[in-house]
């Protein structure tokens, strides 16, 4: 005779070994168990909410995109740099890093819009289910933004590996290590506001506007980041941080010695603006979620 668990399911049956769905697992935690009753004291930690979001992001297009986008950018550009006139003249590292960071700067806001649109779209049914529990809804919005930010941090770390590999192959790693870390992580910090804004737009208006925001952000990085009013356009902030760190223009060309774009004082300003804007957007998004109909 087979043993039975507390729910009456035989221990050897397929149902007993069926993997748990992350949304169902979170729901069980919020109610004290699968058969529990939600109450005002139900309060899953932000860590539980964020980890659940990350588990849902790891499979499908978003997970692969986060992992592969820096690789897909860096490897072809390195090979192209080898055969370019600049690369053959002994400037392989400068050529490779310049074009890679040019692409990366415009990709950050585009990535924010794309992955936010896909992640929020996938949450239509789970949110409808989870909204029935006595959990402050702002936590769902904050957890979504935090999970996407962590995913982009992972992507930035892979970029560090790719740039470090290129620097190592060209014998420039010791000189370029500090710059590589800065151009990967400081633009990420400056891009947090773009991520939060993309989640807000997708939550309020849906998939299409979110993707449109990502495309507009890509254009902002390419066309506005070197203008005097860059601070007014959040998607332009990541590229604005990259320009003085990598000594390049938005088109990837090296800066002139007298260019005002060398000014690194814009970096703390961009990061501070991003942090402040992210907090404001989280407050707005939390309020929207609290009023959102199930």
């Amino acid at each position: 005779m087979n043993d039975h668990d507390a729910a009456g399911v035989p221990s050897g049956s397929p149902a007993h070994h069926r993997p748990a769905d992350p949304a169902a697992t979170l729901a069980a935690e919020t109610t004290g168990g699968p058969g529990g009753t939600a109450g005002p004291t139900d309060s899953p930690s932000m860590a539980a909410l964020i980890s659940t979001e990350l588990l849902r992001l790891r499979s499908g297009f978003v997970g692969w995109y986060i992992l592969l986008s820096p690789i897909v950018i860096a490897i072809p550009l390195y090979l192209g740099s080898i055969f370019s006139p600049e690369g053959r003249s002994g400037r392989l590292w400068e050529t490779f890093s310049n074009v890679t960071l040019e692409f990366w700067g415009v990709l950050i806001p585009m990535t924010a819009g794309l992955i936010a649109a896909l992640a929020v779209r996938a949450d239509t049914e789970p949110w409808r289910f989870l909204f029935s529990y006595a959990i402050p809804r702002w936590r769902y919005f904050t957890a979504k933004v935090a999970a996407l930010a962590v995913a982009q941090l992972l992507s930035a770390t892979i970029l560090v590996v790719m740039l470090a590999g290129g620097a190592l192959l060209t014998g420039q790693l010791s000189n370029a290590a500090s710059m590589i870390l800065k151009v990967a992580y400081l633009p990420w910090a400056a891009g947090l506001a773009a991520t939060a804004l993309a989640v807000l737009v997708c939550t309020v208006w849906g998939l299409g506007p979110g993707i449109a925001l990502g495309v507009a952000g890509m254009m902002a990085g390419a066309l506005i980041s070197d203008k005097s009013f860059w601070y007014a356009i959040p998607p332009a902030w990541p590229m604005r941080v990259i320009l003085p760190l990598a000594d390049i223009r938005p088109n990837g060309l090296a800066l002139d010695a007298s260019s005002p774009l060398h000014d690194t004082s814009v970096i703390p300003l961009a990061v501070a603006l991003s942090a402040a804007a992210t907090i404001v957007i989280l407050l707005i998004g939390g309020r929207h979620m609290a009023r959102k109909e199930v």
Side-chain angles (χ1 to χ4, degrees):
M1 181 179 295
N2 292 332
D3 295 333
H4 289 63
D5 60 16
V9 179
S11 59
S13 67
H16 189 273
H17 298 286
R18 187 179 298 123
D21 178 73
T25 302
L26 179 59
E29 178 180 338
T30 63
T31 59
T37 302
T41 60
D42 295 331
S43 182
S45 66
M46 283 301 301
L49 291 169
I50 294 171
S51 63
T52 301
E53 292 287 351
L54 289 172
L55 284 173
R56 300 182 67 230
L57 288 175
R58 70 180 181 178
S59 60
F61 176 80
V62 173
W64 286 110
Y65 179 87
I66 290 296
L67 292 175
L68 295 179
S69 56
I71 299 173
V72 170
I73 289 174
I75 291 179
L77 290 179
Y78 183 81
L79 296 176
S81 299
I82 292 176
F83 300 104
S84 68
E86 295 83 359
R88 290 198 298 267
S89 67
R91 299 179 61 246
L92 177 56
W93 163 246
E94 290 82 358
T95 303
F96 166 63
S97 62
N98 287 358
V99 294
T100 300
L101 293 173
E102 172 201 356
F103 275 88
W104 188 251
V106 298
L107 189 67
I108 292 174
M110 181 179 177
T111 296
L114 178 62
I115 66 176
L118 296 176
V120 171
R121 183 184 185 186
D123 273 341
T124 302
E125 292 301 323
W127 272 352
R128 186 174 300 168
F129 177 66
L130 293 170
F131 282 176
S132 61
Y133 295 110
I135 303 171
R137 292 185 182 180
W138 64 266
R139 293 189 180 187
Y140 297 129
F141 184 86
T142 302
K144 177 68 69 179
V145 173
L148 293 178
V150 170
Q152 289 180 288
L153 181 62
L154 173 61
S155 197
T157 301
I158 297 173
L159 177 70
V160 169
V161 174
M162 301 307 297
L163 287 174
L168 181 63
L169 290 174
T170 56
Q172 299 293 324
L173 183 58
S174 60
N175 297 327
S178 177
M179 185 273 286
I180 289 172
L181 293 174
K182 291 176 182 177
V183 295
Y185 294 124
L186 288 175
W188 169 81
L192 290 176
T195 298
L197 180 61
V199 176
L200 178 62
V201 169
C202 295
T203 301
V204 176
W205 290 295
L207 177 71
I211 294 178
L213 177 66
V215 174
M218 177 181 65
M219 297 177 63
L223 302 176
I224 298 175
S225 60
D226 60 342
K227 304 297 188 295
S228 60
F229 56 91
W230 64 269
Y231 57 84
I233 313 295
W237 298 346
M239 177 63 93
R240 187 64 187 89
V241 169
I242 288 176
L243 300 183
L245 291 174
D247 291 330
I248 60 172
R249 296 179 178 276
N251 58 8
L253 297 178
L255 292 176
D256 298 331
S258 60
S259 174
L261 295 177
H262 284 292
D263 182 14
T264 58
S265 66
V266 301
I267 296 174
L269 175 59
V271 173
L273 286 172
S274 180
T278 300
I279 293 172
V280 172
I281 294 169
L282 289 176
L283 293 174
I284 295 173
R287 180 173 177 81
H288 169 75
M289 293 289 279
R291 301 174 62 181
K292 187 179 180 67
E293 295 184 2
V294 177

